[in-house]
Amino acid sequence: MAINLTVGGQQAENLNWDDIIVAQTNDRIVRLTDVAVPRLKEQLPRSYFRVNGLSTIYLTVHTDKGANQVELAEEVKNVVKNLQPGFPPNFSLAVNYDASKEINQEVRKITSRAFLAMIILLVFVILVSRNWRYLLIIALSLVANLSVAVIFYYILEIEIHLYSLAGITVSLGMIIDNTIVMADHIRHNNNRKAFLAVLAATLTTMGAMVVIFFLKEQQRLNLIDFAIVLLINLMVSLAVSLFLVPALLDRIPLKPVQKIFTASQKEGY
């Protein structure tokens, strides 16, 4: 007679058979080892799958939530490499699908595109302004923006993956736009009144990102980090435009823009 016994609440490696209680009779506790001899036995196969006439076992490894898939893949590969010398004869192990390779490729593509986008934007700035000090101010503002944003990523526990990297890439142009508008206005008018226009334009973009939080669950899970990264970068860009850009213009002064008045304007004065 076979009796199925299910034990829960303990991990297999920490399981102690002497601690498992199966019954209590006449004030006596009956443990599993009192009535049975525990031993490990391979489960009978429920189905067969063969490749080239040989029995094949598919082993699927999944990551926990928040785990680094690339690091986990490297750890699994190292464990398998250490186990290979002890494999029995005619036993082989082949990788059928490795998601970490695709992740690495996509991360490289997005990272290279982000750096390329940053370089192109800065090249446009120097071509238009033809002023190295102006370019330095924009570059320092961009570096400060991304550095502060990384602190918020860490505090809010934002995972850096394909979608969050895409959010950083998309936000680069908006960050530089805010910096350029504020720097040019201060350079021409020597005040910060343009910040209201920058704030309104940025809040409009941030409001569009809020729609992502109301999507269906599957779509929201894919895009939530993209939206959060974009919102963080835009909020930080507002602070950088309001406080850091004027300070940089004080430390790295630019030539004042000469205003040209027409004859009609002179007559009015």
Side-chain angles (χ1 to χ4, degrees), residues 49-62:
F49 187 84
R50 295 179 181 273
V51 175
N52 296 331
L54 302 176
S55 297
T56 303
I57 298 176
Y58 270 99
L59 179 63
T60 305
V61 180
H62 297 281

Side-chain angles (χ1 to χ4, degrees), residues 140-192:
L140 290 176
S141 301
L142 181 60
V143 172
N145 198 307
L146 294 177
S147 300
V148 175
V150 168
I151 298 175
F152 283 101
Y153 300 160
Y154 178 79
I155 295 174
L156 299 177
E157 298 181 352
I158 303 298
E159 297 181 8
I160 302 301
H161 49 74
L162 301 180
Y163 290 101
S164 55
L165 287 174
I168 295 174
T169 305
V170 171
S171 64
L172 290 177
M174 304 176 190
I175 293 171
I176 293 181
D177 284 346
N178 291 348
T179 304
I180 290 175
V181 171
M182 199 67 185
D184 274 359
H185 185 82
I186 295 175
R187 186 182 178 190
H188 285 77
N189 301 289
N190 198 25
N191 60 56
R192 306 183 188 184

Side-chain angles (χ1 to χ4, degrees), residues 15-248:
L15 184 62
N16 188 355
W17 299 108
D18 294 330
D19 296 337
I20 300 177
I21 300 174
V22 295
Q24 182 178 359
T25 176
N26 298 328
D27 296 331
R28 179 176 179 271
I29 296 177
V30 180
R31 304 182 185 276
L32 179 62
T33 52
D34 295 335
V35 296
V37 179
R39 63 179 179 178
L40 294 175
K41 184 178 180 181
E42 184 178 355
Q43 183 181 6
L44 295 176
R46 290 174 293 183
S47 61
Y48 290 92
F49 187 84
R50 295 179 181 273
V51 175
N52 296 331
L54 302 176
S55 297
T56 303
I57 298 176
Y58 270 99
L59 179 63
T60 305
V61 180
H62 297 281
T63 59
D64 291 334
K65 183 179 180 180
N68 190 316
Q69 295 188 24
V70 177
E71 292 182 357
L72 177 62
E74 291 298 327
E75 293 179 5
V76 172
K77 291 176 183 177
N78 292 332
V79 171
V80 172
K81 185 177 180 180
N82 296 331
L83 293 176
Q84 279 182 341
F87 286 170
N90 300 326
F91 186 89
S92 62
L93 181 65
V95 178
N96 186 35
Y97 174 71
D98 186 359
S100 64
K101 292 183 178 179
E102 294 185 2
I103 294 175
N104 277 326
Q105 292 176 357
E106 292 298 325
V107 168
R108 291 194 192 98
K109 288 181 182 178
I110 294 178
T111 304
S112 60
R113 290 170 183 171
F115 280 109
L116 184 60
M118 187 184 307
I119 292 173
I120 292 174
L121 291 171
L122 294 177
V123 168
F124 282 153
V125 171
I126 190 60
L127 289 177
V128 173
S129 65
R130 298 182 181 179
N131 190 324
W132 290 102
R133 288 189 174 187
Y134 189 85
L135 176 64
L136 180 60
I137 291 173
I138 300 300
L140 290 176
S141 301
L142 181 60
V143 172
N145 198 307
L146 294 177
S147 300
V148 175
V150 168
I151 298 175
F152 283 101
Y153 300 160
Y154 178 79
I155 295 174
L156 299 177
E157 298 181 352
I158 303 298
E159 297 181 8
I160 302 301
H161 49 74
L162 301 180
Y163 290 101
S164 55
L165 287 174
I168 295 174
T169 305
V170 171
S171 64
L172 290 177
M174 304 176 190
I175 293 171
I176 293 181
D177 284 346
N178 291 348
T179 304
I180 290 175
V181 171
M182 199 67 185
D184 274 359
H185 185 82
I186 295 175
R187 186 182 178 190
H188 285 77
N189 301 289
N190 198 25
N191 60 56
R192 306 183 188 184
K193 293 182 178 179
F195 179 73
L196 292 177
V198 173
L199 176 62
T202 304
L203 290 179
T204 301
T205 306
M206 295 172 63
M209 291 297 102
V210 176
V211 177
I212 294 177
F213 293 89
F214 298 97
L215 295 176
K216 294 181 180 179
E217 183 177 1
Q218 186 61 37
Q219 297 172 340
R220 187 175 68 252
L221 291 176
N222 290 333
L223 297 174
I224 188 71
D225 288 336
F226 172 87
I228 293 177
V229 165
L230 202 59
L231 292 174
I232 290 174
N233 288 0
L234 292 178
M235 285 189 292
V236 174
S237 72
L238 291 175
V240 170
S241 300
L242 182 60
F243 299 107
L244 182 61
V245 172
L248 290 175

